Each structure stands twice: as C-alpha cells, then as structure tokens.
C-alpha cells in the first residue's frame, strides 16, 4: 500500500518519519519531497508498506500532532480516486480561452504582439 503523508513540518527528516512509521510495521520505501534547488522539505511525502501495516499507520498517525502540525496520512489510491471524482464533478469549461495571444492553435509567429510601422526590409 502506498501512503501519502501530508502537512509535515519542514524540520522532520526521513529518519524521524521512519521512526514514527516503524511501530506500525515494516517500511519498504520512504521519501519526503524536497525543493529541487534549496532542498527544503515541501511538507509532504510518500511511503510504501504492506496493506495491513499501512492501515495500522493510517489509524495511528492520521491527525497526530508533530511540532504544532497535524499529520494527514491517507492511502494514495483513495486520494487519487477522490481527486478524479471531484474533477469530474467540477467539469471543464465549454470554451477554453487562449492563454496568450489571439490563437494558440496556429503554428509559429503569433506572439500576440501587434507590429506597427513602415517596411521592415521586405
């Protein structure tokens, strides 16, 4: 079972998180997501455990307070399913506006900048 762990304090390290998860069972893989440049924790991570151990970890750690922050521990498959259902309910707009310029579907040369003035050498 793959667990998603959120609302982590930036001070928590992989070793500290591993120590929290170990009483629930064997941790196969653990990663805290970090900024690519500064290497500072982004406040969430993932963990892989067996199904039974994962359920124990969710029951014991979800809502547990660490450094003034309550951890959120959920099954990642359930989280993805809920997000997909919410997106379906939300729906997409009937007509999407182009992000920049007049029309983004035509190829090349259209930067949205109007040019004015005389001849340009042609």
């Amino acid at each position: 079972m793959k667990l998603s762990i959120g609302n982590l304090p930036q001070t928590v390290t992989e070793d500290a998180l591993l120590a929290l998860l170990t009483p629930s069972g064997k941790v196969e893989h653990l990663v805290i997501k970090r900024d690519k440049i500064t290497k500072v924790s982004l406040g969430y991570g993932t963990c892989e455990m067996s199904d039974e151990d994962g359920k124990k970890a969710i029951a014991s750690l979800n809502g547990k307070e660490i450094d003034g922050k309550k951890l959120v521990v959920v099954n990642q498959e359930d989280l993805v399913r809920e997000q997909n259902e919410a997106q379906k309910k939300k729906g997409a707009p009937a007509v999407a506006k182009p992000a920049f310029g007049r029309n983004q579907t035509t190829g090349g040369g259209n930067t949205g900048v109007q040019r004015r003035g005389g001849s340009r050498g042609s």
Side-chain angles (χ1 to χ4, degrees):
M1 172 183 287
K2 194 166 189 178
L3 301 178
S4 182
I5 306 165
N7 206 26
L8 287 170
Q10 289 185 333
T11 57
V12 173
T13 63
E14 275 101 358
D15 293 335
L17 189 56
L18 183 64
L20 282 173
L21 290 165
T22 305
S24 300
K26 183 181 177 191
V27 177
E28 296 170 12
H29 185 70
L30 174 70
V31 175
I32 294 179
K33 303 296 180 183
R34 299 189 177 280
D35 183 82
K36 291 179 182 178
I37 298 170
T38 63
K39 306 297 182 201
V40 175
S41 169
L42 295 175
Y44 67 97
T46 58
C47 168
E48 289 185 34
M49 304 176 87
S50 69
D51 288 344
E52 291 179 20
D53 295 342
K55 290 176 184 177
K56 289 179 192 175
I58 290 171
S60 64
L61 293 177
N62 193 22
K64 183 174 182 174
E65 192 169 319
I66 298 177
D67 294 341
K69 293 183 121 186
K70 288 187 177 183
L71 292 182
V72 178
V73 182
V74 294
N75 183 352
Q76 194 165 12
E77 291 174 3
D78 294 341
L79 181 65
V80 169
R81 189 177 311 114
E82 288 175 13
Q83 288 174 345
N84 288 340
E85 288 173 7
Q87 187 66 25
K88 286 179 186 176
K89 287 180 184 176
K90 185 177 178 183
V95 177
K97 294 181 181 178
F100 181 72
R102 284 181 236 131
N103 187 0
Q104 292 296 315
T105 58
T106 59
N110 184 7
T111 61
V113 177
Q114 290 185 349
R115 305 211 180 259
R116 301 173 192 250
S119 78
R120 300 204 184 257
S122 55

